Amino acid sequence: MDKPVNKYIAVSYKLYTVEDGEKHLVEEAKAEHPFQFISGFGVTLDAFERQVASLEKGEEFDFELGKDEAYGDYEDAHVLDLDRDMFCINGHFDHEHIYKDAVVPLQNADGNRFLGRVLDITDSKVKIDLNHPLAGQTLNFRGCVLESREATNEEIQGMLNRLSGEGCGCGCDHCGGDCCDGDNCGGDGHHHHDHHGGCCGR
């Protein structure tokens, strides 16, 4: 059996959430700053990759992903009340970075890193939402394939370096992160972000 080809893919797109038949634009990757990734590395949503990897340069796409193919259900258990003291530096609360709606990088006891959004701050607690911003949503991606070709060995090695934490360090969320470009790599350099970290990103 032939070994799967790792493809270098660049797309421009608009991402909409779909609710009760209405669509709301939440993210856009323009042609001058496209979302770029290499297939086969799990740096973007599997279902997104499946949809665009088979397309040729110049082809347009318009597809929906249900929550099970995207970011899953919104889980109340992923909303945490953390001690305010955890966000203090030299005895002072970090007002510069910790404020309502701020997206902050966190790390658990196992060393795993993830992003959380600040929902509320009280005298003793900081309420953090660890759900992806698009959890529970149906997503509609509309866009165009700007490039689709076999990735070079150098590009593949560069992706491996980024995934191992070298280079810019974005997981390449979709920063949607960004080593792939701005807000577009899956690490959220999404960012995207973030945001999602890029929304194609994990």
Side-chain angles (χ1 to χ4, degrees), residues 54-134:
S54 60
L55 301 178
E56 301 294 330
K57 180 178 178 178
E59 284 195 73
E60 296 185 350
F61 54 85
D62 182 350
F63 59 86
E64 288 189 5
L65 301 182
K67 63 182 181 181
D68 293 337
E69 294 180 295
Y71 296 102
D73 288 308
Y74 185 92
E75 301 279 357
D76 290 334
H78 293 165
V79 178
L80 307 177
D81 282 315
L82 302 177
D83 286 337
R84 186 182 169 109
D85 293 347
M86 292 174 60
F87 301 95
C88 288
I89 300 174
N90 298 326
H92 298 284
F93 185 73
D94 186 6
H95 288 285
E96 183 180 351
H97 299 104
I98 310 302
Y99 50 88
K100 190 171 180 182
D101 289 332
V103 175
V104 296
L106 300 168
Q107 185 171 341
N108 65 13
D110 296 326
N112 296 315
R113 297 174 183 275
F114 39 88
L115 296 173
R117 185 166 64 92
V118 178
L119 298 181
D120 193 25
I121 301 170
T122 67
D123 291 341
S124 60
K125 299 287 184 181
V126 175
K127 187 185 289 289
I128 297 277
D129 187 354
L130 300 181
N131 286 288
H132 189 280
L134 297 175

Side-chain angles (χ1 to χ4, degrees), residues 144-156:
C144 180
V145 178
L146 306 177
E147 187 65 77
S148 183
R149 57 170 170 76
E150 187 169 348
T152 65
N153 289 335
E154 289 80 9
E155 287 167 340
I156 291 172

Side-chain angles (χ1 to χ4, degrees), residues 41-43 158-166 170-172:
F41 285 92
V43 296
M159 177 63 73
L160 290 170
N161 289 345
R162 283 199 289 274
L163 293 176
S164 68
E166 298 176 26
C170 81
C172 208

